Amino acid sequence: MMPMDMNFLKDHIYLVAVFFAVFVVAFMWLRPSDKVQAEVQPQLQEVGKSDFGTVYIDTNTIDTVKKNNVYYLIVSVEERYTDETFLQQLRQSEETKDAVSALDLYMFTNDGRYYCIPQRFLVDKDGKVCSNLGSDMQMKPIDEKIISDIYVKALKVLEDRQRFQSMMGK
């Protein structure tokens, strides 16, 4: 096989430049835009104070699911810990030494009387998982004000979203 002649490149520089320009344009067109990346960022809305910190819901994660012909409301909840004594106890193990908050997925019954937590994590300040706390699919009655507030706030966001979508559909 003969090595490429440098004169070929000099003689066809226009074709090389066009090929390079097409490659750059194709790369720019195919890569994800900042707008798409921004859409997946959490949209946190404060719910209130808990015993150990401040509770937020991610409004992007609020949805309904159907299981065994029953509808449930699901929402991702972040509790950012502010209680220093609690944080010191939490950070005693190597795996949780950087934990600053809990990230939970809540699932509420349609009537808002019961809930379970299908997934729980401890996360660090960068949102990286420190520890997987597992899940608890056992339905429990809502017996704390903050959990009731999570349900009410998530339901309001879902209703507002559906109202907006129905207005846009007309």
Side-chain angles (χ1 to χ4, degrees), residues 34-44 58-60:
D34 292 338
K35 181 180 177 186
V36 171
Q37 292 172 355
E39 289 176 6
V40 296
Q41 294 297 316
Q43 295 294 316
L44 299 180
D58 181 354
T59 60
N60 287 341

Side-chain angles (χ1 to χ4, degrees), residues 64-73 107-111 139:
T64 55
V65 294
K66 187 176 182 180
K67 179 181 175 188
N68 300 330
N69 275 346
V70 178
Y71 285 94
Y72 296 92
L73 176 69
M107 186 168 82
F108 294 94
T109 57
N110 199 32
D111 60 7
M139 285 294 189

